[in-house]
Amino acid sequence: MRHERGVLLASVLLASCSSAPWMPREAEHYGFTTTTSRRVWVRGPWEAIVPSNDIDEVIDQLCPAIMKLPGAMDRDYGQEYCGALYTLGDGVYHASFPSPLGGRRPVGPSKRKTCYSPMSIRDERGRASVIADFHSHPWFPSPMSEEDRSANTQRYFIRIQFDARCIIHKLVPYTNEPRPGELYVRVDKQWRLVGHILPDDKATGRITTVTE
């Protein structure tokens, strides 16, 4: 585990040497599918995360591990990381390595950091079925943005986002279903429903607050 974490840290640090300073260099554990593509692949499993047949147990490990990576808590000058949760068909959930690869954003004060949600997982043990994507925000507080909630950015059944103090949000978008999407926050190892995205609002990601 220590070796794998060290490799990941080294690969992220090397990204600062890229000929394009706004774009981290590809590494052993993540990359673009082609030289002109924005489609990102990531390798799995990430050895820093213990797999489990309870996906929530995997989710609860993500933020503490991500926040140890370079720039993950550096606020305006910070770095987002994107990854995925998947299974190999045996009911056990794994986390991929996190990727810093993203679009062109200037370094400096900006609430528009970005990383690309992975399109595929490379796991030598078998074919990965992706259940969720996850990404970090280097600020606190930082709820899930409208862009992150909008229908055209959803690829999987679940989206997980957490901020620099490990406040975890979960979106279940139900993108192609007539039922409302659901937004949750993690509280004391439980999911608390905090909002709905009504069918007419899925394109924009507008939240209708749930009151208890």
Side-chain angles (χ1 to χ4, degrees):
M1 182 182 299
R2 290 182 179 177
H3 172 71
E4 294 289 348
R5 187 176 298 167
V7 169
L8 177 61
L9 288 170
S11 65
V12 174
L13 288 169
L14 282 172
S16 63
C17 300
S18 172
S19 58
W22 53 271
M23 182 73 76
R25 185 162 57 191
E26 296 180 36
E28 177 184 357
H29 301 299
Y30 52 81
F32 291 102
T33 56
T34 68
T35 56
T36 59
S37 173
R38 293 185 177 183
R39 296 169 66 92
V40 169
W41 62 266
V42 287
R43 197 173 302 282
W46 185 18
E47 303 265 343
I49 306 298
V50 178
S52 174
N53 57 10
D54 183 347
I55 195 171
D56 288 341
E57 291 184 359
V58 177
I59 291 170
D60 287 338
Q61 298 175 66
L62 291 173
C63 186
I66 294 288
M67 291 305 148
K68 295 176 182 179
L69 301 181
M73 301 180 69
D74 288 350
R75 299 183 62 83
D76 289 352
Y77 293 85
Q79 172 66 57
E80 284 193 7
Y81 291 90
C82 284
L85 304 177
Y86 67 97
T87 179
L88 298 177
D90 56 359
V92 178
Y93 298 99
H94 307 270
S96 78
F97 279 86
S99 163
L101 298 176
R104 186 186 296 268
R105 291 282 191 267
V107 174
S110 170
K111 300 300 184 187
R112 296 288 297 165
K113 309 298 181 187
T114 186
C115 55
Y116 292 143
S117 172
M119 295 292 291
S120 62
I121 308 293
R122 297 182 181 181
D123 189 319
E124 296 178 351
R125 301 170 303 165
R127 183 176 180 179
S129 177
V130 181
I131 306 300
D133 58 14
F134 65 83
H135 70 279
S136 62
H137 286 177
W139 308 278
F140 172 84
S142 185
M144 196 176 288
S145 68
E146 283 194 3
E147 181 179 0
D148 288 336
R149 302 191 307 258
S150 63
N152 66 349
T153 68
Q154 309 305 319
R155 291 177 177 161
Y156 306 115
F157 300 107
I158 298 170
R159 168 157 287 171
I160 299 295
Q161 178 260 312
F162 39 86
D163 61 26
R165 292 194 182 176
C166 291
I167 305 300
I168 305 171
H169 288 86
K170 177 175 75 170
L171 174 65
V172 185
Y174 298 118
T175 305
N176 298 314
E177 300 182 42
R179 62 190 295 184
E182 298 169 346
L183 183 65
Y184 297 85
V185 65
R186 192 79 165 150
V187 179
D188 296 329
K189 303 292 185 179
Q190 301 290 326
W191 292 110
R192 178 165 63 87
L193 181 67
V194 294
H196 283 123
I197 302 179
L198 302 179
D200 289 343
D201 295 327
K202 288 184 179 181
T204 63
R206 188 175 75 89
I207 288 290
T208 298
T209 302
V210 170
T211 57
E212 296 182 345

